[in-house]
Amino acid sequence: MCGIIGVAGADDATSAVLLEGLSNLEYRGYDSAGIAVGGDEVEVEKKEGELSALKRALAGRTLDGAVGIGHTRWSTHGPPSDENAHPHTDESGRVAVVHNGIIENYRALRDELEAKGVSFSSETDTEVVPHLIAEALDAGADPESAFRRAVERLEGSYALAAVVAGTDAIFAARHDSPLVLGIGDGAHYLASDIPAFLERTRDVVYLDEGEFAVLTPGDWRVEDELGEPVEKEVETVEWTAEQTGKSGYDHFMLKEIHEQPKALRQCLRGRVDELEGRITVEELDGLDAPEEVHFLACGTSYHAARYGALLLQEAGVHATAFLSSEYATSLPPIARDTLVVGITQSGETADTLSALRKARGRGVETVALTNVVGSTVARECDHVMYIRAGPEIGVAATKTFSSQLVGLNLFVEQLLADEPRNRDVRELVSALRDLPGQVQEVLDESRADEVVEEFMGAKSFFFIGRGVHYPVALEGALKFKEITYEHAEGFAAGELKHGPLALVTEETPVFALVTGDGENARKTIGNVKEVEARGAPVVVVTDGESDAERYADSVLEIPATHERTVPILANVQLQLVAYYMARRLGRAIDKPRNLAKSVTVE
Ligand code: M6R
């Protein structure tokens, strides 16, 4: 996601310290960057694209001042552009603000400010903040109170930092988005992540929820929501530079697996109303339930597409998941009232773009379900829904897959919201609310590393599941082969006896997904017995609702939940299985051989 750096009282030129901090944050992924340097006046430079574009825009100039803030943006509201890049300013240019997170009530605030004659220069949610600060300054508030007043109006998540002309201070606040202070000798720093300032100081102060901070060259203080001083502990970090890019994890893949609770919360934010038991995806407002849905996707996204098709079929809508490359090769009949949905985390996969273009050529409406704002798929489709997983750097898709599955639940309910099918989504809403915490539980308690130790040297690995677990079995096998380079296949559990069973021996561990205690579980247990009888070691991923454990050599447990969210939990165990096996084999986990993160050729 986005990155923040701030400095008060830099020993070098302020702009140089900010650029250094932004460069340390590049690993997070971004699509634009900018800085603001404050003192008597506020100077801003910002640019779409890489940091090199911002440096070119500065054309060798250094901006110096008592304080400065910088930002790398990963778009959520409005595509990447110079205007949408942070910092954002008020109309007079007295106030500059950088922000991580999502301001949920920005639309209402923007309408209110526009009605008062304020003109906006970006499409972002963030821009309301400098205008609110300016409004409070005009009403006579001092800069610190003006900042507080603005923050009081905000709903959503934010890590915010602001500078105001004529004030040698940075004002900062955090709510649901991290901020950390760096305490140097005569200079003080602020960042979304420690690596931003690690070369300059290792002494840090973590801001807690709802806290405010004020940094000046000679001082720093933290206050609570009521303005009462908070005594904070200064801690010293002992990390190496290599570790910090991955926040202490050995690989980006592991970091991204662990980011899933946060990614899912981001995906759900503002879309799920627990009190009303309602799901709304604002950006798809007005999209009616079609007669038929075609999902187009590749790789992991195709597995998400299969899951999405199952959800719609269950609701009585004709839905099919197609591999984009096959769809583009032999276009199937497309009825007039078909909605074509491209699922692609990167938004740049050539096969999916080509298939979508062919469908558009038939005059049907298209939707993009993607992670990357402003990507080609987002620009070319009629409607876009973002999964908001944050940048994914490891080639293996992990948090984006989980976010796609959650996003598909929201997509389906939005599509069917006006249908007279009397859908009760209360149970789903409550399961979605609990999901991030349950994913955390799986991450904290998984025994995947121990389990895979038993299977070093095995010949092939099979993954089996039924219904909503079938796409997860396919995904488990894809992840496994992609990063371990070992042979793995995913099968519909019921298909084993129609051929693949011939491959099953003592040397082929089978991972079986068995949840609930209904017909699917009973039948899958039957399939588990079939492979067990051929001597295959069996690992069951289960919520303990059936007696599947009795037939297993090892068990990977997941919490019981709604049948639509349970595959997401099961998949987290399989991500860890793949990761730990690849680690034991010493593979290039983040950049597996022959593969690329974004596949831009057909
Ligand atoms: O960006 P996309 O979602 O369109 O990418 C599609 C596939 O290339 C991708 O999911 C690939 O299968 C993953 N690297 C698997 O982990």
Side-chain angles (χ1 to χ4, degrees):
M1 280 287 188
C2 311
I4 290 178
I5 173 74
V7 60
D11 346 346
D12 297 331
T14 310
S15 58
V17 178
L18 295 174
L19 289 173
E20 172 191 289
L22 294 182
S23 136
N24 292 338
L25 290 171
E26 278 189 291
Y27 73 91
R28 293 168 63 92
Y30 66 104
D31 48 44
S32 54
I35 57 172
V37 171
D40 293 340
E41 292 186 344
V42 173
E43 270 186 276
V44 175
E45 194 62 72
K46 53 188 192 165
K47 216 67 201 150
E48 179 191 348
E50 298 195 351
L51 222 45
S52 51
L54 175 62
K55 287 181 186 158
R56 274 198 302 281
L58 282 164
R61 278 179 306 142
T62 49
L63 309 184
D64 222 347
V67 288
I69 51 178
H71 191 263
T72 48
R73 173 175 189 249
W74 198 78
S75 310
T76 58
H77 289 68
S81 67
D82 292 353
E83 294 74 29
N84 289 337
H86 297 214
H88 289 286
T89 55
D90 67 315
E91 286 171 296
S92 69
R94 281 173 295 171
V95 181
V97 171
V98 293
H99 164 227
N100 284 1
I102 296 175
I103 295 169
E104 280 171 18
N105 61 336
Y106 88 98
R107 196 59 262 175
L109 292 171
R110 184 170 176 144
D111 290 347
E112 178 190 312
L113 287 159
E114 282 178 334
K116 291 178 188 162
V118 174
S119 84
F120 279 70
S121 48
S122 80
E123 296 161 71
T124 63
D125 52 336
T126 306
E127 200 190 329
V128 295
V129 185
H131 293 303
L132 286 171
I133 297 174
E135 188 179 53
L137 288 171
D138 289 342
D142 61 77
E144 187 174 343
S145 320
F147 177 74
R148 275 185 168 272
R149 273 196 220 169
V151 172
E152 278 163 17
R153 304 280 323 270
L154 308 178
E155 288 166 20
S157 61
Y158 47 81
L160 279 169
V163 292
V164 178
T167 317
D168 289 353
I170 300 175
F171 305 103
R174 93 154 262 186
H175 178 67
D176 274 357
S177 195
L179 262 187
V180 59
L181 311 186
I183 312 302
D185 197 8
H188 298 121
Y189 307 88
L190 156 137
S192 50
D193 307 69
I194 293 168
F197 56 63
L198 198 58
E199 283 133 308
R200 297 193 173 252
T201 182
R202 288 179 174 272
D203 292 335
V204 304
V205 170
Y206 296 96
L207 283 195
D208 287 314
E209 279 304 287
E211 288 181 340
F212 287 77
V214 180
L215 276 79
T216 61
D219 196 15
W220 63 274
R221 63 191 151 85
V222 176
E223 290 172 359
D224 67 14
E225 271 157 316
L226 302 172
E228 296 298 323
V230 181
E231 227 170 272
K232 303 291 289 186
E233 190 188 343
V234 180
E235 300 176 42
T236 303
V237 293
E238 303 292 347
W239 302 347
T240 65
E242 161 68 5
Q243 278 174 319
T244 55
K246 295 169 190 150
S247 306
Y249 291 100
D250 289 341
H251 297 96
F252 281 113
M253 181 183 175
L254 190 60
K255 172 173 173 267
E256 285 153 8
I257 288 174
H258 281 266
E259 280 172 350
Q260 289 179 112
K262 182 175 165 203
L264 299 185
R265 283 191 190 103
Q266 285 277 118
C267 183
L268 292 168
R269 193 180 287 284
R271 292 166 167 175
V272 174
D273 182 337
E274 269 186 63
L275 285 180
E276 300 284 324
R278 213 179 34 219
I279 290 175
T280 347
V281 181
E282 210 179 278
E283 55 268 48
L284 299 182
D285 200 22
L287 193 65
D288 295 327
E291 280 301 310
E292 191 169 350
V293 175
H294 288 179
F295 288 105
L296 313 181
C298 309
T300 293
S301 295
Y302 170 68
H303 302 145
R306 292 189 72 122
Y307 169 85
L310 287 176
L311 297 189
L312 280 172
Q313 285 159 11
E314 205 177 69
V317 178
H318 290 288
T320 315
F322 293 90
L323 285 167
S324 302
S325 53
E326 286 300 305
Y327 195 86
T329 305
S330 353
L331 206 59
I334 309 177
R336 245 216 149 354
D337 189 15
T338 301
L339 183 67
V340 178
V341 183
I343 306 183
T344 161
Q345 87 79 21
S346 64
E348 302 296 345
T349 300
D351 286 320
T352 301
L353 291 173
S354 158
L356 279 165
R357 284 173 193 146
K358 291 202 170 157
R360 275 173 73 86
R362 295 284 173 93
V364 292
E365 258 189 309
T366 53
V367 179
L369 187 74
T370 186
N371 194 31
V372 181
V373 176
S375 54
T376 306
V377 80
R379 283 183 277 116
E380 292 190 3
C381 284
D382 302 308
H383 309 268
V384 190
M385 174 179 170
Y386 292 109
I387 58 169
R388 305 176 183 162
E392 192 173 65
I393 291 163
V395 166
T398 52
K399 63 175 177 172
T400 53
F401 180 65
S402 298
S403 301
Q404 283 169 338
L405 299 195
V406 166
L408 280 161
N409 274 289
L410 307 181
F411 168 77
V412 165
E413 295 314 324
Q414 169 67 36
L415 213 58
L416 303 179
D418 295 330
E419 285 289 282
R421 288 171 214 253
N422 203 13
R423 294 177 70 75
D424 186 354
V425 292
R426 277 171 199 277
E427 278 183 24
L428 176 65
V429 164
S430 118
L432 289 169
R433 181 206 52 205
D434 294 342
L435 186 63
Q438 291 180 319
V439 170
Q440 190 62 55
E441 216 178 295
V442 174
L443 294 171
D444 292 343
E445 289 169 23
S446 176
R447 294 179 49 250
D449 195 14
E450 285 162 56
V451 167
V452 297
E453 191 182 6
E454 306 291 316
F455 304 138
M456 304 302 293
K459 200 167 161 200
S460 283
F461 297 80
F462 299 134
F463 295 79
I464 61 170
R466 244 168 224 275
V468 284
H469 285 318
Y470 178 33
V472 173
L474 295 174
E475 173 59 12
L478 175 66
K479 207 92 315 168
F480 196 90
K481 69 181 96 166
E482 180 181 22
I483 60 166
T484 66
Y485 313 159
E486 296 294 311
H487 178 241
E489 293 298 334
F491 298 115
E495 271 297 292
L496 272 186
K497 56 190 174 298
H498 298 291
L501 203 54
L503 297 171
V504 170
T505 69
E506 305 79 32
E507 291 178 283
T508 58
V510 176
F511 290 81
L513 305 163
V514 192
T515 58
D517 60 354
E519 192 184 348
N520 279 353
R522 278 198 303 283
K523 287 186 177 168
T524 310
I525 290 171
N527 305 125
V528 165
K529 289 180 189 162
E530 287 161 15
V531 297
E532 198 199 16
R534 273 83 190 170
V538 175
V539 181
V540 293
V541 181
T542 182
D543 55 5
E545 298 281 297
S546 68
D547 65 349
E549 300 187 20
R550 282 182 51 197
Y551 310 99
D553 297 281
S554 305
V555 176
L556 292 171
E557 287 173 23
I558 56 173
T561 176
H562 196 281
E563 60 175 6
R564 280 165 67 168
T565 44
V566 78
I568 301 168
L569 296 176
N571 183 61
V572 173
Q573 287 285 19
L574 298 188
Q575 292 171 345
L576 293 168
V577 162
Y579 173 79
Y580 284 114
M581 183 55 119
R583 191 154 96 165
R584 284 176 183 278
L585 292 167
R587 304 302 190 218
I589 292 179
D590 285 331
K591 288 191 179 151
R593 68 183 179 205
N594 308 335
L595 300 178
K597 183 71 185 160
S598 185
V599 186
T600 52
V601 288
E602 282 189 62

